[in-house]
Amino acid sequence: MQLVRCLVVAAAYLVLLAGPVSYASPKLLPFSQERNATLIRFIKWFLALWLVREVNAVLNSWAENRWMWKSDKSSWDWKNEIAVITGGSRGIGAMLAKRLVSHGVKVAVLDVEPLSDDFQDDECRLVSFYRCDISSRDAVHMAAEAIRSDHGSPSILVNNAGIGNANSILEVSPERLRAMFDVNIISHWNTVQEFLPDMIEKRKGHIMTTSSMSAFLGFAGAVDYASTKAGLTAFHEGLTQELKHRYKCPQIKTTIVYPTWTRTRLITAIEKGIQSTRAPIMDTKDVADAMVNQIIAAKSGQLILGPSIAATVRALPIWLQELVRDHMAHVVTVNATTAVASSR
């Protein structure tokens, strides 16, 4: 569709560019010849800018698809696919599991908490729970062996699990800091090292990374969280490059998702601070829908589920960047971890 739209805009621009001078005559529109000429020049510039925008979109899509024009969706049979979701018992992960199940995909949830009561009986038939501390390489291996024994090799991996602190740099304890990095980023090495080899052997798979808009914007009170999410951007980009250039397997899809504030336990302690900035808060269903649509479309790329300006904030002048960060400085004003807050 993008390519078709680009070609249509290009054709319109070339027709107008190569059109006869009579296009600017009073016969075209009920204006004077001078006004008609001005209008035609305006339309030419408008089409030129539109064409640049469409060409950029086509190139972006082409690059995200590993410089391949087509995605081979025929290799995906959703009723025979197995997805692993970390942190899938609640929140975004649980909603993602429910949406994948609606397409017939079998889901294996890796979590330290059991499945929430939100799962219906018919959904539970396609969802399997494996208690697993994803920060432990051995625990991930044991869970993976059980999944392969029960269902076969997964073709979809969603690294979704995450925890959040609400502490300043001086306040956060070494234990909380270590747990944050272990769960939010080190675990991605554990799961990818476990499940990627089978995907490479079959030349098919999709690895999805749940990040956050905080990857683009570090702010007071959540420096550790933002650091892990910024690290996930590097992880996603590096994984994508290695699949193309080290393992010669561009068929494996990679997606990174940047949700804005989402109504989960992670924001319970800081919701008032978020509301003070008038920032929107997404529902988990909207985030999960976008993620599942990407998986079902068999596409790679980035999903920015929030203000698009956040992704380009570092291209702004420094004074503007600092104004944005200053605006966010009082979102996190409690001392908390995940959804457990304590007053100062």
Side-chain angles (χ1 to χ4, degrees):
M1 180 60 73
Q2 284 179 329
L3 183 58
V4 171
R5 190 166 58 237
C6 182
L7 293 174
V8 170
V9 175
Y13 176 67
L14 290 174
V15 167
L16 198 59
L17 195 66
V21 179
S22 60
Y23 280 7
S25 70
K27 294 180 181 179
L28 180 63
L29 292 169
F31 302 131
S32 66
Q33 184 170 345
E34 183 179 350
R35 287 189 176 182
N36 278 346
T38 300
L39 178 60
I40 293 300
R41 281 196 297 272
F42 172 80
I43 294 174
K44 285 180 179 178
W45 276 105
F46 175 78
L47 286 175
L49 292 173
W50 190 3
L51 181 58
V52 168
R53 180 178 180 274
E54 293 299 331
V55 168
N56 181 66
V58 168
L59 290 175
N60 284 343
S61 179
W62 190 25
E64 288 180 339
N65 201 40
R66 315 290 193 268
W67 307 114
M68 297 184 294
W69 282 115
K70 292 184 178 181
S71 291
D72 187 10
K73 294 169 63 174
S74 63
S75 64
W76 293 88
D77 180 6
W78 303 114
K79 293 185 184 299
N80 289 311
E81 306 298 341
I82 303 160
V84 172
I85 303 176
T86 67
S89 290
R90 284 170 174 74
I92 294 173
M95 188 58 67
L96 176 62
K98 291 163 73 72
R99 294 288 292 110
L100 283 173
V101 163
S102 71
H103 289 275
V105 178
K106 297 182 183 69
V107 175
V109 169
L110 302 187
D111 209 322
V112 293
E113 297 182 333
L115 297 177
S116 72
D117 295 335
D118 292 338
F119 286 93
Q120 305 298 317
D121 290 343
D122 59 333
E123 293 170 336
C124 288
R125 284 195 287 270
L126 290 176
V127 178
S128 301
F129 171 74
Y130 298 85
R131 182 175 179 80
C132 178
D133 174 7
I134 58 172
S135 66
S136 165
R137 183 68 180 84
D138 290 339
V140 170
H141 177 68
M142 290 178 61
E145 289 287 273
I147 291 169
R148 286 189 281 262
S149 175
D150 295 342
H151 306 291
S153 297
S155 53
I156 302 165
L157 169 63
V158 183
N159 281 315
N160 167 79
I163 59 175
N165 290 329
N167 300 116
S168 71
I169 291 173
L170 296 181
E171 290 171 328
V172 66
S173 68
E175 294 77 19
R176 283 187 180 182
L177 187 61
R178 172 60 63 183
M180 169 75 72
F181 277 82
D182 282 346
V183 172
N184 287 14
I185 189 164
I186 300 300
S187 68
H188 292 239
W189 266 267
N190 294 339
T191 55
V192 168
Q193 288 176 348
E194 188 63 48
F195 295 109
L196 180 58
D198 284 331
M199 297 182 188
I200 292 174
E201 184 178 347
K202 295 183 171 83
R203 306 189 73 78
K204 171 187 164 184
H206 197 145
I207 298 176
M208 180 171 280
T209 302
T210 304
S211 183
S212 163
M213 296 293 276
S214 63
F216 307 125
L217 189 71
F219 55 92
V223 178
D224 49 359
Y225 184 78
S227 296
T228 62
K229 296 305 181 180
L232 289 181
T233 298
F235 181 87
H236 163 77
E237 292 173 353
L239 173 63
T240 300
Q241 290 297 305
E242 289 191 359
L243 284 170
K244 285 196 296 184
H245 301 295
R246 294 292 184 272
Y247 302 108
K248 310 300 181 185
C249 201
Q251 298 89 344
I252 296 177
K253 311 302 178 186
T254 56
T255 298
I256 187 165
V257 187
Y258 298 100
T260 187
W261 303 111
T262 306
R263 203 170 299 283
T264 67
R265 291 187 301 173
L266 282 179
I267 70 164
T268 301
I270 61 173
E271 190 164 350
K272 287 184 179 179
I274 297 170
Q275 291 170 346
S276 71
T277 67
R278 299 183 180 179
I281 299 178
M282 294 187 71
D283 188 77
T284 55
K285 180 181 182 301
D286 296 326
V287 178
D289 283 346
M291 295 168 74
V292 170
N293 289 343
Q294 182 82 352
I295 292 171
I296 298 301
K299 291 173 59 177
S300 295
Q302 302 180 63
L303 297 179
I304 298 176
L305 308 179
S308 58
I309 191 173
T312 57
V313 68
R314 297 192 186 282
L316 297 175
I318 293 176
W319 65 272
L320 276 177
Q321 293 184 39
E322 198 61 12
L323 284 176
V324 175
R325 283 187 281 267
D326 288 343
H327 180 66
M328 302 294 293
H330 300 290
V331 169
V332 181
T333 57
V334 298
N335 189 344
T337 180
T338 306
V340 182
S342 60
S343 59
R344 291 192 166 198

